[in-house]
């Protein structure tokens, strides 16, 4: 049995850092993700005067965060959010609700291109003074904070569920709570992660459907600290599951099973439809590919698991029929236009691809070696690393961008190859077939 040790979830780590900072008491995070994104979030909290202590030598690794329900310890600060969308969206929301002062947020050129307008419009509706310096709806921005009373909002979260997550987490820090009507929502499982984690920190979020949309009700009252374990990142696990499927091998990811919070674990259901065998226990998931590495084509809606769209696109050439991925417009506003980046890279590998506003269709073929244009996007590297299992010679123009979520990816993937090396030329996977 090949075991893949996947680092902690980026999504869970970021939410836990927000909730811990806002809570009464000291929170311990067990096995948090250590990456550029989460380090950027932690450094942002430190710049705001929150106490974050890392214990990298502890077993398991732990971070402790001293909560400040009254808000940041400083009345003015500048925070650099790096490439992190959660940092760039969650921290301005945290200071808007809990801060008293003026706080400026900037980010990398990549993050500056990504929108935050739906969130900042919502904050303004709640009475928060938010000013964009250069381009409206984008970083850099300044928040002049004096607390938030609360009230009712209507939100379009069809572009990113992070807007809704930020506002939900803000709710308990308001004086009167929030009632949010959501007209459109993408990646709903990420919102479920948020509400489940808020429950662990002492807040129960109400939810019901109306003709106008889904309504979330968040009470005031704040959070209480917790000891919180961070499960492995399901999006990252998708590369190892996909590798087993295309290589005709088996891989087990411990820590991700039936009780997992992350919706992206549903990617294994896609692999199962394509012919892989999936076994899921309470605390682990195992994927076994057909010995030949053969996969079936399919049409799949990936709206709720869109971070795994590049993973599927990268293995689609090895299917027996076309692979069509639908309802993934929001992937166009990630670290790069992922839908178009996948299409361009597949074409450079000699694969026939068609795209539309929110879909991509990939015709099976034999990929040829080429350099992958990563666009600084970690998911381009990790996805097409899976393709390289059957197409030796694939390279990347920026392999180091995996540091965003998994600095040790290349070593871990090399170890996976090494573990499968015995008999690698057998079963149709050894020579780029």
């Amino acid at each position: 049995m090949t075991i893949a040790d996947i680092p902690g979830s980026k999504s869970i780590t970021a939410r836990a850092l927000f909730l811990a900072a806002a809570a009464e008491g000291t929170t311990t995070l067990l096995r948090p993700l250590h990456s550029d994104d989460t380090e950027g979030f932690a450094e942002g909290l430190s710049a705001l005067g929150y106490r974050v202590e890392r214990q990298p030598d502890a077993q398991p690794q732990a971070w402790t965060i001293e909560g400040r329900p009254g808000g940041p310890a400083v009345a003015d600060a500048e925070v650099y959010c790096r490439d992190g969308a959660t940092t760039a969206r969650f921290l301005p929301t945290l200071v808007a609700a809990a801060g008293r002062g003026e706080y400026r947020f900037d980010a990398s050129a990549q993050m500056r291109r990504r929108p935050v307008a739906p969130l900042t419009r919502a904050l303004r509706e709640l009475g928060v003074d938010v000013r964009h310096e250069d381009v409206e709806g984008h970083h850099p921005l300044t928040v002049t904070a004096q607390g938030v009373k609360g009230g009712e909002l209507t939100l379009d979260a069809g572009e990113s569920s992070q807007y809704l997550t930020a506002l939900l987490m803000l709710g308990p820090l308001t004086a009167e709570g929030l009632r949010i009507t959501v007209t459109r929502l993408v990646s709903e499982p990420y919102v479920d992660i948020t509400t489940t984690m808020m429950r662990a920190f002492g807040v129960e979020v109400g939810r019901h459907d109306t003709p106008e949309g889904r309504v979330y009700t968040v009470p005031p009252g704040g959070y209480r600290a917790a000891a919180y374990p961070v499960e492995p990142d399901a999006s990252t696990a998708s590369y190892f599951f996909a590798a087993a499927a295309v290589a005709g091998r088996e891989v087990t990811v411990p820590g991700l099973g039936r009780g997992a919070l992350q919706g992206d674990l549903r990617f294994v259901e896609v692999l199962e439809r394509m012919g892989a065998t999936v076994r899921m226990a309470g605390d682990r998931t195992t994927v076994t590919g057909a010995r030949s590495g053969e996969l079936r084509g399919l049409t799949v809606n990936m709206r709720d698991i869109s971070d795994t769209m590049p993973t599927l696109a990268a293995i689609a050439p090895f299917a027996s029929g076309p692979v069509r991925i639908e309802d993934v417009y929001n992937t166009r506003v990630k670290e790069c236009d992922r839908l178009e980046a996948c299409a361009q890279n597949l074409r450079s590998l000699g694969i026939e691809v068609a795209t539309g506003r929110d879909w991509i269709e990939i015709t099976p073929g034999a990929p040829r070696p080429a350099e992958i244009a990563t666009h600084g996007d970690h998911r381009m590297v990790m996805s097409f690393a899976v393709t390289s299992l059957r197409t030796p010679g694939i390279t990347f123009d920026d392999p180091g961008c995996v540091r965003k979520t998994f600095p040790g990816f290349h070593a871990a993937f090399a170890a996976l190859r090494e573990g499968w090396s015995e008999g690698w030329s057998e079963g149709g996977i050894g020579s780029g077939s």
Side-chain angles (χ1 to χ4, degrees):
M1 177 189 297
T2 300
I3 301 292
D5 186 12
I6 305 299
S9 163
K10 179 187 76 168
S11 300
I12 292 175
T13 301
R15 286 160 174 77
L17 286 169
F18 181 113
L19 297 170
E24 180 72 48
T26 300
T27 290
T28 300
L29 303 186
L30 301 175
R31 296 180 297 276
L33 173 64
H34 178 81
S35 73
D36 192 71
D37 268 14
T38 57
E39 280 293 328
F41 201 118
E43 286 181 7
L45 286 175
S46 296
L48 294 167
Y50 293 90
R51 184 177 175 185
V52 180
E53 291 188 358
R54 303 158 182 79
Q55 301 166 28
D57 297 328
Q59 291 298 327
Q61 184 180 120
W63 290 1
T64 57
I65 301 93
E66 188 176 307
R68 294 187 56 86
V74 296
D76 64 90
E78 293 203 6
V79 176
Y80 181 65
C81 303
R82 304 190 188 184
D83 288 336
T86 50
T87 308
R89 292 164 178 170
F90 293 177
L91 288 186
T93 307
L94 174 64
V95 301
R100 296 292 188 278
E102 185 169 284
Y103 308 94
R104 183 179 183 272
F105 298 86
D106 202 356
S108 67
Q110 184 188 66
M111 186 59 221
R112 279 186 172 199
R113 291 191 293 269
R114 299 181 68 179
V116 293
L119 176 61
T120 54
R121 279 199 300 267
L123 292 174
R124 285 168 174 165
E125 286 183 40
L126 292 171
V128 179
D129 181 359
V130 182
R131 301 186 304 280
H132 294 277
E133 292 181 15
D134 296 333
V135 179
E136 184 64 24
H138 294 262
H139 281 72
L141 60 86
T142 299
V143 177
T144 301
Q146 52 187 356
V148 176
K149 181 179 178 182
E152 297 193 8
L153 282 174
T154 298
L155 178 71
D156 182 342
E159 194 174 76
S160 173
S161 64
Q162 288 179 3
Y163 305 141
L164 176 57
T165 280
L167 293 166
L168 289 172
M169 293 194 298
L170 172 148
L173 305 179
T174 66
E176 297 179 357
L178 283 181
R179 185 177 189 272
I180 308 169
T181 301
V182 182
T183 55
R184 290 195 308 150
L185 178 59
V186 69
S187 302
E188 185 175 357
Y190 282 96
V191 179
D192 295 337
I193 292 173
T194 304
T195 56
T196 300
M197 291 184 65
M198 289 173 66
R199 186 179 305 121
F201 283 81
V203 175
E204 190 71 40
V205 177
R207 186 181 77 177
H208 65 279
D209 292 325
T210 71
E212 291 75 31
R214 177 159 292 173
V215 176
Y216 292 85
T217 305
V218 190
Y223 299 101
R224 59 173 181 264
Y228 199 88
V230 177
E231 67 188 29
D233 193 288
S235 305
T236 300
S238 75
Y239 312 117
F240 294 82
F241 291 139
V246 301
R249 299 288 174 146
E250 180 178 287
V251 70
T252 296
V253 175
L256 284 175
R258 293 192 191 97
L261 290 179
Q262 299 162 85
D264 277 3
L265 185 55
R266 288 171 47 196
F267 179 73
V268 298
E269 298 173 9
V270 178
L271 294 177
E272 192 168 39
R273 287 178 58 191
M274 299 179 80
T277 300
V278 176
R279 300 192 306 277
M280 189 175 292
D283 65 344
R284 62 186 52 221
T285 297
T286 300
V287 171
T288 308
R291 185 59 179 161
S292 64
E294 181 179 343
L295 301 168
R296 293 190 289 267
L298 81 170
T299 297
V300 58
N301 185 309
M302 298 188 79
R303 178 183 180 87
D304 286 339
I305 57 170
S306 60
D307 275 350
T308 63
M309 178 278 288
T311 320
L312 179 56
I315 65 173
F318 307 120
S320 59
V323 171
R324 182 180 173 92
I325 305 170
E326 298 180 336
D327 206 2
V328 287
Y329 173 76
N330 70 310
T331 64
R332 291 188 178 276
V333 290
K334 297 286 188 174
E335 281 81 345
C336 67
D337 181 338
R338 285 182 179 159
L339 194 150
E340 194 57 39
C342 284
Q344 291 173 357
N345 281 315
L346 286 165
R347 290 179 184 126
S348 74
L349 297 174
I351 301 301
E352 182 181 339
V353 181
T355 61
R357 177 183 179 275
D358 66 350
W359 59 269
I360 181 171
E361 184 166 323
I362 301 146
T363 301
R368 59 177 180 245
E371 182 177 76
I372 298 299
T374 64
H375 303 277
D377 189 335
H378 56 133
R379 300 214 184 277
M380 290 298 110
V381 177
M382 293 189 279
S383 296
F384 284 96
V386 183
T387 314
S388 74
L389 289 174
R390 289 174 60 171
T391 307
I394 286 177
T395 59
F396 304 93
D397 65 1
D398 182 11
C401 67
V402 296
R403 63 185 174 273
K404 179 178 175 67
T405 53
F406 192 177
F409 172 78
H410 294 295
F413 211 69
L416 186 75
R417 284 178 180 266
E418 182 66 24
W420 288 342
S421 61
E422 184 178 350
W424 187 253
S425 60
E426 301 173 6
I429 61 173
S431 57
S433 62

